[in-house]
Amino acid sequence: MLNSDNNLDADESFHLALKYMNQGDQEAAILHLKNVLDDKPGHGQAMYLLGALHADLGMYERATEELTKAVEMVPEINAAHFQLGLLHAMSGDVDNAISAWEALKSRSDSDPYRIFASGLEKLCDDDFEGAAAKLKHGLSINSENDALNEDMARILAEINSTTSQTIGVDESPTSEAQSKESVSKMFLAAYQQDNDSDPN
């Protein structure tokens, strides 16, 4: 089916979206992904990439909706489950974050997404030491996805910063709500470091 606006079919638009993403042209990539979804509403990969781009733009609510649809359409995409969980964690919704990562537990023990998700679950449970160990393990074996490593390295740095600041400080009881807020701020701070860095 041809799109009447630009005479490109869904497959052509999808490949152009990938090209523009590689070139860092988010606007063009989003336009082409929307064209794909206009022609093929069930195109799970396009929905996933659109959600990922909106997350990069800081449009977290829209990204969460799109990634939720993406994991229903293409449950085999590990990155979609992982990033959906990360977005939920950033908003403080720990239960839905863990639910999103549940699908990764059936993956290989050496799958970086499974290892990183396990670490982030420990972080959501305030197990900073366990979280750091898992993230370090994931970083040591993930040689294929540099961008993922950069994101996880930033969260690891946030963990190290938080734990170093609490050494020697008397611990006081914290409510579950306060704990969730602290964790969500840690996820968000690490995520925004990437999005706020502008080479220009």
Side-chain angles (χ1 to χ4, degrees), residues 68-88:
T68 298
K69 293 178 182 177
V71 297
E72 294 173 353
M73 296 175 181
V74 280
E76 67 273 16
I77 298 182
N78 292 352
H81 293 281
F82 183 81
Q83 192 162 5
L84 177 59
L86 185 58
L87 288 172
H88 282 307

Side-chain angles (χ1 to χ4, degrees), residues 89 91-94 124 126 173-185:
S91 69
D93 190 348
V94 172
C124 288
D126 290 334
T174 58
S175 68
E176 182 178 355
Q178 288 174 319
S179 175
K180 288 183 178 180
E181 181 181 11
S182 174
V183 169
S184 64
K185 285 182 177 179

Side-chain angles (χ1 to χ4, degrees), residues 133-159:
K134 286 288 186 180
L135 295 184
K136 288 177 182 177
H137 177 45
L139 289 168
S140 71
I141 69 168
N142 181 28
S143 59
E144 298 181 1
N145 191 329
D146 291 338
L148 177 61
N149 277 353
E150 290 171 4
D151 287 341
M152 295 303 99
R154 276 187 285 275
I155 291 179
L156 180 59
E158 288 290 325
I159 294 173

Side-chain angles (χ1 to χ4, degrees), residues 8 13-32 53:
L8 295 172
S13 287
F14 184 72
H15 282 85
L16 282 170
L18 294 177
K19 174 185 175 181
Y20 285 119
M21 286 182 70
N22 288 330
Q23 293 175 350
D25 189 340
Q26 293 176 316
E27 180 180 359
I30 287 174
L31 289 174
H32 281 289
L53 285 170

Side-chain angles (χ1 to χ4, degrees), residues 19-179:
K19 174 185 175 181
Y20 285 119
M21 286 182 70
N22 288 330
Q23 293 175 350
D25 189 340
Q26 293 176 316
E27 180 180 359
I30 287 174
L31 289 174
H32 281 289
L33 289 171
K34 286 184 174 181
N35 180 55
V36 174
L37 292 168
D38 282 343
D39 281 355
K40 295 184 177 180
H43 198 300
Q45 291 178 319
M47 185 66 72
Y48 160 62
L49 293 176
L50 188 61
L53 285 170
H54 281 141
D56 283 343
L57 291 174
M59 302 175 70
Y60 302 128
E61 185 174 347
R62 181 176 295 190
T64 300
E65 293 175 359
E66 290 161 346
L67 289 174
T68 298
K69 293 178 182 177
V71 297
E72 294 173 353
M73 296 175 181
V74 280
E76 67 273 16
I77 298 182
N78 292 352
H81 293 281
F82 183 81
Q83 192 162 5
L84 177 59
L86 185 58
L87 288 172
H88 282 307
M90 285 165 51
S91 69
D93 190 348
V94 172
D95 290 340
N96 274 328
I98 293 174
S99 178
W101 292 325
E102 185 69 27
L104 298 173
K105 293 181 179 179
S106 64
R107 306 309 197 246
S108 165
D109 290 341
S110 60
D111 187 301
Y113 285 108
R114 174 177 177 167
I115 296 168
F116 285 135
S118 177
L120 298 183
E121 281 194 41
K122 290 182 179 297
L123 177 57
C124 288
D125 198 33
D126 290 334
D127 180 0
F128 296 125
E129 183 177 349
K134 286 288 186 180
L135 295 184
K136 288 177 182 177
H137 177 45
L139 289 168
S140 71
I141 69 168
N142 181 28
S143 59
E144 298 181 1
N145 191 329
D146 291 338
L148 177 61
N149 277 353
E150 290 171 4
D151 287 341
M152 295 303 99
R154 276 187 285 275
I155 291 179
L156 180 59
E158 288 290 325
I159 294 173
N160 292 335
S161 175
T162 298
T163 54
S164 66
Q165 290 174 13
T166 58
I167 294 177
V169 177
D170 292 335
E171 294 185 358
S172 57
T174 58
S175 68
E176 182 178 355
Q178 288 174 319
S179 175

